[in-house]
Amino acid sequence: MTEDEFDAFYATAFPRLIGQLTAFTGDHGEAQDVVQEAFVRAWNRRKDFLADEAPEAWIRTVAIRLAVSRWRRARRWLELVRRTPPPESAPGPDPDRTALVAALRQLPPPQRMAIVLHHLCDLSVEQVASETGAPVGTVKARLSRGRAALAKHLVVDEAQDEARSGTARKENGRVG
C-alpha cells in the first residue's frame, strides 16, 4: 500500500472504526487512542498491508486487543490499589520548625537566602557568595543581620508562647 493509498484508507476507515470501538469500550477518547495506535502499527507495515486483503479488519482487531489490554492493566492496577493499605498519617512539623519557618519568612529575601544556604544547606560563606553572586563581605553581613533578626523573632515568639501557656494554665486553675 502506498502512502497515498494509506492516507485515503485512513480518511475513510478512521471515523467508522472510532464508532465501532466507542461502542466496544464505552469511551470515545479511549476508542480514539486505540484506533490511532492501531493505525500507527499499520503505518509501520504499510508495504505488506495490502497482502492482508482486509486492512480494516486487521486494524479493528489490533484496536480491540489494545483496548482489552488497557482494560486488563487498569483492572490489575485497581486490584493492587485496593489491596494496598492506606498510608499511616504522618505527623505534622514540630513547633520549633514551624516557628523557624515563620521567622525566616519575616527576613528580607537576601538575608533569608544567606541563612538557608549557610545554616540549612551547610554551604560555606564562599559557596554562598558564589551561588548568590554577592561578595563574601556582603554574605557575612547578611548572615550577621539575618541571625540577629531571627533571634528577635524567635525570642518574641517564645515569649508569646509562654504568655499564652501561662494564660491557659491560669484559666484552668493551675499556676505555672
Side-chain angles (χ1 to χ4, degrees):
M1 188 179 279
T2 67
E3 288 184 23
D4 291 336
E5 290 171 333
F6 191 89
D7 289 345
F9 167 64
Y10 177 87
T12 59
F14 187 77
R16 190 170 39 251
L17 288 166
I18 292 295
Q20 294 165 2
L21 268 290
T22 298
F24 179 73
T25 63
D27 183 339
H28 186 73
E30 180 72 11
Q32 287 178 320
D33 288 348
V34 295
V35 170
Q36 189 64 40
E37 176 64 27
F39 268 103
V40 167
R41 291 180 183 192
W43 174 260
N44 291 335
R45 53 180 291 179
R46 69 186 175 279
K47 291 183 173 94
D48 305 324
F49 209 54
L50 191 56
D52 287 342
E53 299 281 331
E56 190 169 329
W58 185 89
I59 289 180
R60 183 176 32 258
T61 301
V62 170
I64 288 172
R65 288 179 181 165
L66 287 167
V68 168
S69 177
R70 286 179 169 201
W71 179 78
R72 285 181 181 150
R73 269 195 310 273
R75 191 177 72 191
R76 279 193 303 264
W77 179 83
L78 186 59
E79 289 170 1
L80 177 66
V81 168
R82 285 182 179 159
R83 278 187 265 147
T84 305
E88 294 182 25
S89 61
D94 68 343
D96 291 339
R97 183 172 180 86
T98 305
L100 176 61
V101 169
L104 281 167
R105 285 186 183 147
Q106 296 176 8
L107 296 180
Q111 288 178 10
R112 183 180 331 137
M113 179 66 73
I115 294 284
V116 167
L117 290 175
H118 184 67
H119 292 287
L120 299 178
C121 298
D122 293 325
L123 297 183
S124 69
V125 172
E126 292 76 19
Q127 290 171 317
V128 173
S130 173
E131 226 174 273
T132 60
V136 171
T138 302
V139 171
K140 288 180 180 179
R142 288 176 181 169
L143 285 170
S144 176
R145 291 182 186 125
R147 283 189 291 256
L150 271 179
K152 289 178 186 173
H153 291 301
L154 292 173
V155 168
V156 167
D157 289 345
E158 287 177 7
Q160 289 174 350
D161 287 344
E162 286 179 18
R164 279 191 219 116
S165 62
T167 304
R169 283 191 298 254
K170 287 179 184 175
E171 290 173 357
N172 291 330
R174 288 182 273 165
V175 178

